[in-house]
Amino acid sequence: MMLALSILAVLLLTGAVWAMGFRGRPALDEAAARDEAEGRLAGFRAGEVALADSGRGAVLRGLDGSFALLLPFGDSWLSRRLPPETPLDWRDGSLNVRLAEPMLAEAHLPLAQPPLWLREARP
Amino acid sequence: MKLPDPVQYAIPAFVALILLEMWLTKRRGVGRYDWRDAGTSLTMGLGSTVAGALTAGAVLALSLWVWEHRLLDVPWAWWAFALCFVLDDLAYYAFHRTAHRVRWFWASHVIHHSSQHYNLTTALRQTWTGFFSLSFLFSLPLFLIGFPPAMVFFCSALNLIYQFWIHTEQIGRMPRWFEAVMNTPSHHRVHHAVNPRYLDRNFAGVFIVWDKLFGTFEAERDDDRPRYGIVKALPSFNPLWAAFHEWVAIAKDAASARSPRELWGRLFGPPGWQPGEGAETSDVIRARWEAATTGKEG
Ligand SMILES: [Zn+2]
Ligand SMILES: [Zn+2]
């Protein structure tokens, strides 16, 4: 009984958060992408930035040649640092990166027109 | 003596305050909420109370057993309650600091830090595996001294309730004297931040004094606004993954350890430790950041 009530309360409260409009899926611009990557990945200094289509993510190249990946996650971003030798595979309008994490084996960023530096970075 | 469980009475207030905070967030544009994140946090909170109820009997039995071997007879007096509350908070500090510095305990505590948000629902994002990680060991000294288990459990419940309201961005700073002695939203925002300056700081439960005493205090700065979460954020809102992900990682690392030393480090070293180069512990991250910033300023 207590458990059923508690489950109901969790659902109602979560529904209230949704109903109040806290369900955004924001977009990044270049400045926000730099700020997010440098703020989240200690020691990363952003160089070039490639924004995903509609700003739904970004890949950045650091001054040291490493990469930062920003993936959309709820109303915020998931950031990962990738070593310089990471293969960034761009195909059919999407950038694909193997991350080999248990819950994130691969990441795909929609990217119709990759900038030149990113084409050059490809293996 | 039978004491009520204060947490049960506090739950309606928790719900009301969450609703109030949501409204303030909307109105003032300060702080953040996300329904997916809040749903995970609330589910974690519910799961944690279920897990706690399942293991309460065992914890109580062990506590009573230790108490039977007590050194002193602490009476049921108001001053004993006050002393118990302070010592329990010290025990919490010891537990919490260990929970951040030893991976075995971190695997259970990481749940509380796994959100990139910082609001009142984050306070309810609690572990499911506290019993398994043996976190109850830290209050055993209180029973050994002679504080009755019911008194200690009552004080820890009050401690837990106190920590609820500090998980908010709606309160900037409390009055100076309060910030000096007590744990506050400002101090605890630092604790939840991944900024290198803030990593592994402010372990206090109720009294921030412990951090100042033991050298782990860091004040929140307006020019370094906290970014919340863990160094490697979870890529999933799945509560089951949030509850067990670090245990899964520990099991994998332990299975592939190549020496007893590595096995020890993987289990009981600091989170992020690995043999040789490439460790990402908070000490390493902080040192790297310090080198970078002094290099820039100098
Ligand atoms: Zn903590
Ligand atoms: Zn907290």
Side-chain angles (χ1 to χ4, degrees), chain B residues 218-295:
Chain B
E218 188 73 43
E220 183 185 31
R221 290 169 54 143
D222 295 328
D223 63 352
D224 196 6
R225 101 193 139 77
R227 290 172 196 271
Y228 307 109
I230 45 181
V231 169
K232 196 167 188 181
L234 294 186
S236 161
F237 287 115
N238 183 339
L240 287 172
W241 182 244
F244 299 112
H245 70 102
E246 188 66 15
W247 293 111
V248 172
I250 286 188
K252 272 190 187 162
D253 288 345
S256 62
R258 268 164 299 181
S259 68
R261 207 188 96 79
E262 183 184 343
L263 182 65
W264 176 266
R266 294 288 196 181
L267 291 174
F268 305 114
W273 180 87
Q274 53 173 287
E277 304 268 299
E280 284 279 330
T281 65
S282 45
D283 289 340
V284 169
I285 294 171
R286 182 190 299 274
R288 203 190 290 149
W289 167 77
E290 271 168 1
T293 45
T294 48

Side-chain angles (χ1 to χ4, degrees), chain A residues 23-95:
Chain A
R23 46 180 196 260
R25 291 193 169 276
L28 286 170
D29 58 24
E30 247 191 64
R34 276 174 205 281
D35 183 58
E36 185 68 20
E38 292 185 347
R40 283 269 165 199
L41 306 166
F44 182 79
R45 310 287 308 280
E48 294 91 343
V49 183
L51 292 176
D53 299 342
S54 331
R56 295 294 293 147
V59 57
L60 298 89
R61 183 160 65 179
L63 298 180
D64 62 353
S66 69
F67 297 98
L69 197 61
L70 300 178
L71 303 167
F73 185 64
D75 71 342
S76 44
W77 309 98
L78 206 62
S79 40
R80 292 289 188 266
R81 189 155 187 186
L82 311 167
E85 63 276 11
T86 311
L88 300 175
D89 168 40
W90 180 78
R91 209 178 309 156
D92 306 328
S94 146
L95 183 79

Side-chain angles (χ1 to χ4, degrees), chain B residues 38-65:
Chain B
T40 305
S41 291
L42 295 166
T43 308
M44 297 309 295
L46 176 57
S48 172
T49 42
V50 173
L54 291 178
T55 53
V59 174
L60 179 65
L62 179 66
S63 311
L64 282 170
W65 182 81

Side-chain angles (χ1 to χ4, degrees), chain B residues 92 96 109 112-113 118 122-123 125-126 163 166-167 183 188-189 191-192 204:
Chain B
Y92 178 83
H96 193 190
H109 182 62
H112 179 60
H113 288 274
Y118 190 78
T122 315
R125 190 181 275 242
Q126 295 284 341
Q163 291 189 45
I166 60 178
H167 290 84
N183 197 7
H188 202 59
R189 283 195 288 269
H191 179 65
H192 274 259

